[in-house]
Amino acid sequence: MKYISTRGQVEPVGFEDAVLMGLADDGGLLIPETIPDVSDRLSDWRGLGYADLAIAVMGEFVDDIPAEEFAGIVRRTYADAFPADVAPLVQVGDAWVLELWHGPTLAFKDVALQLLGNLFEAALARRGGRLNVLGATSGDTGSAAIYGCRGRSGIEVFMMHPAEGVSEIQRRQMTTVLDENIHNIAVRGTFDDCQRIMKTIAADVEFKRRHAIGAVNSVNWARVLAQIVYYVWAALRLGERTGSAQVQFAVPTGNFGDILAGWYAMKMGVPIDRLILATNENDILCRFFQTGEYSLGEVHKTLSPSMDIQVASNFERYLYYRLGEDPRKLSQTMADFGRTGKLAVPTGEDGTVDGDFRAGRGDTEATLATIGRVWREQEYLLDPHSAVGVHVGLACRDAGKPLVCLATAHPAKFPDAIRTATSEDLAHHPKIDHLHELPTRCAVLDSDVQAVREFVEETLG
Ligand SMILES: *Cc1c(COP(=O)(O)O)cnc(C)c1O
């Protein structure tokens, strides 16, 4: 499988090069040249365990790593980092919750970033050289990337987070990792500032080459790919357990990486009826799927900080397909968006933007009410991100088909919200309870590309 850029200015590359490149050198995003149809494989895949299913699903997109080696990397990833199940399905009321937070940092991003760390290490071992990972995080990506790469030889990680935009626990999950190859940077700005700095540096091809800069953000294709697996997993499991031919997924959404994986699964022929996109007050994507217009607003701070973004970095991948797989049109649209902060796609005659999606938003009130109600009625504790998904999922579901709500973080990461919602101190996990005792390390920089560039250069010597 070759990978091409949404902006069309990069020669097609193999999977491993795509993973090492992160953001495409022309500023676009890398996507597979074709989307494989796996519908006639699904019955063979039904009995597979998670790791074997991951090898089969991802194997459709990887042909430049020896098959045995790739299988070893995947098996090692899911055995080491997920001592229990990777993605258990739990029935909660008349919906299903897919718990994706059983990895080391208690958020779904571990599923992809543990794999990415192993892929980087294997590629460097085979090819030689080193990799300097530059990332921007609104919370959970940072710690998951840091845990995916900590202590690995040949890899340095520079992780920016907004100085005021992550929770105390999220900050500590990152800054308590003292491995010498991990460099946390608190940027005096918002997550979008961090992301802009990262994109600017990543678009500087000369700097990027000189310092072997790679990306772990959700723009990295391996992240999307690893996430496709659990949609296939849940659809197969639920098909068995409920006898339903099709399932629907509700996905708490920020950067559009997670739900995009679900969309790829759908296009691969996995029996998914609809994808329900759930946002908090930062609802640019919700408004897009309701009206066809994608227009920037202000960033609001909410109880679900990992969804507090306006520009969704993975949206460009979706838009590429939506605009007829035309890189010129896409580039023009993105350039216009950069200038005006707005873009629009034509809607169907009935006003539908895309029949594959429904969209809704869950504000602070709805988030707290959902956490409280699900706890009282089902004795199941949702974190605030997952609660947004459940709230919108229940509102937008087709009642005739099973609904899977993606649980993207463990509630112990957000104890204040849980206390507000339930009036009880219920959210604990040993990994989180220890954090406040540990020493931390972090640099603080202005929201300025040059400051970050210099920090990277100085650190690398
Ligand atoms: C990152 C994150 C999300 C949003 O996922 P995207 O891929 O950015 O849409 C939702 N919930 C949690 C807990 C997250 O960490």
Side-chain angles (χ1 to χ4, degrees):
M1 176 75 74
K2 292 286 185 206
Y3 290 82
I4 55 174
S5 167
T6 50
R7 310 235 176 141
Q9 301 296 311
V10 171
E11 284 299 308
V13 295
F15 172 76
E16 203 169 71
D17 284 319
V19 170
L20 291 170
M21 196 182 285
L23 192 71
D25 286 345
D26 60 0
L29 273 68
L30 293 161
I31 50 169
E33 216 164 29
T34 57
I35 300 178
D37 181 349
V38 302
S39 38
D40 60 357
R41 298 299 131 85
L42 292 173
S43 55
D44 294 341
W45 289 354
R46 221 167 272 282
L48 299 181
Y50 194 90
D52 286 319
L53 181 67
I55 292 163
V57 172
M58 294 194 286
E60 297 283 334
F61 294 88
V62 181
D63 54 16
D64 58 346
I65 301 176
E68 274 309 300
E69 184 182 348
F70 183 68
I73 292 169
V74 175
R75 282 215 184 83
R76 191 151 28 86
T77 297
Y78 292 114
D80 290 353
F82 295 81
D85 289 344
V86 180
L89 260 178
V90 182
Q91 188 161 16
V92 177
D94 67 348
W96 298 80
V97 170
L98 184 64
E99 292 181 347
L100 298 171
W101 42 253
H102 290 267
T105 72
L106 309 183
F108 86 99
K109 294 186 170 80
D110 288 328
V111 176
L113 282 163
Q114 287 291 321
L115 177 73
L116 188 59
N118 280 320
L119 286 170
F120 281 157
E121 194 170 55
L124 296 174
R126 202 167 342 94
R127 300 173 169 210
R130 61 201 178 93
L131 183 68
N132 298 306
V133 167
L134 180 66
T137 182
S138 58
D140 293 325
T141 306
S143 52
I146 286 167
Y147 274 80
C149 296
R150 69 186 296 183
R152 294 194 192 277
S153 57
I155 305 178
E156 301 286 323
V157 177
F158 295 87
M159 185 55 63
M160 294 178 272
H161 64 265
E164 304 296 329
V166 298
S167 78
E168 183 60 19
I169 287 174
Q170 287 177 319
R171 185 189 342 276
R172 285 186 161 269
Q173 275 192 304
M174 295 188 276
T175 58
T176 54
V177 176
L178 302 180
D179 299 63
E180 273 175 21
N181 70 328
I182 302 300
H183 312 282
N184 280 291
I185 304 170
V187 171
R188 296 186 188 98
T190 64
F191 170 61
D192 286 328
D193 293 326
C194 298
Q195 191 150 265
R196 193 160 43 242
I197 293 171
M198 182 198 71
K199 283 200 164 189
T200 308
I201 294 179
D204 180 346
V205 173
E206 199 274 321
F207 185 87
K208 197 175 155 187
R209 291 242 167 80
R210 185 150 40 93
H211 295 296
I213 300 283
V216 292
N217 274 72
S218 59
V219 300
N220 194 303
W221 169 253
R223 301 250 331 250
V224 178
L225 180 59
Q227 291 166 183
I228 294 173
V229 177
Y230 51 71
Y231 287 91
V232 185
W233 169 261
L236 292 178
R237 282 289 158 299
L238 216 53
E240 250 166 36
R241 281 163 84 161
T242 66
S244 172
Q246 287 204 310
V247 300
Q248 33 190 347
F249 287 94
V251 188
T253 296
N255 257 318
F256 203 71
D258 198 1
I259 198 164
L260 180 72
W263 182 84
Y264 275 106
M266 199 180 207
K267 296 300 140 189
M268 290 163 73
V270 177
I272 299 170
D273 173 57
R274 67 174 67 162
L275 294 163
I276 301 170
L277 181 146
T279 69
N280 60 25
E281 285 90 333
N282 297 287
D283 62 353
I284 181 170
L285 287 166
C286 170
R287 285 184 282 117
F288 171 78
F289 282 104
Q290 288 176 347
T291 66
E293 197 176 286
Y294 186 80
S295 65
L296 281 181
E298 300 254 291
V299 183
H300 301 278
K301 279 196 204 178
T302 73
L303 299 176
S304 40
S306 296
M307 293 150 64
D308 290 353
I309 60 114
Q310 279 296 338
V311 185
S313 53
N314 259 294
F315 185 64
E316 177 166 337
R317 285 195 168 105
Y318 168 79
L319 199 60
Y320 172 82
Y321 296 100
R322 189 67 172 73
L323 296 177
E325 307 187 32
D326 178 347
R328 289 241 299 277
K329 202 161 163 188
L330 188 273
S331 304
Q332 188 59 50
T333 304
M334 293 310 293
D336 291 347
F337 177 71
R339 238 187 352 267
T340 63
K342 264 194 202 139
L343 65 85
V345 300
T347 57
E349 275 171 21
D350 59 353
T352 310
V353 176
D354 185 333
D356 294 342
F357 290 88
R358 299 287 189 287
R361 66 177 233 166
D363 60 12
T364 301
E365 199 186 347
T367 304
L368 291 171
T370 303
I371 296 171
R373 185 181 53 74
V374 172
W375 172 249
R376 282 192 312 278
E377 292 175 4
Q378 315 291 339
E379 285 196 31
Y380 187 89
L381 203 52
L382 291 164
D383 97 284
H385 303 77
S386 310
V388 170
V390 168
H391 170 77
V392 176
L394 293 175
C396 297
R397 76 184 297 180
D398 168 346
K401 296 183 184 118
L403 170 68
V404 182
C405 299
L406 270 50
T408 50
H410 189 285
K413 296 188 83 164
F414 306 95
D416 297 345
I418 302 300
R419 215 172 292 118
T420 310
T422 64
S423 311
E424 288 180 73
D425 181 22
L426 299 166
H428 287 280
H429 190 287
K431 282 187 182 139
I432 301 293
D433 292 343
H434 285 330
L435 282 176
H436 69 278
E437 301 158 9
L438 303 174
T440 63
R441 180 160 59 82
C442 184
V444 183
L445 299 180
D446 281 338
S447 171
D448 171 41
V449 174
Q450 195 50 30
V452 174
R453 215 192 291 256
E454 280 167 13
F455 179 81
V456 170
E457 286 188 314
E458 275 165 27
T459 306
L460 294 176

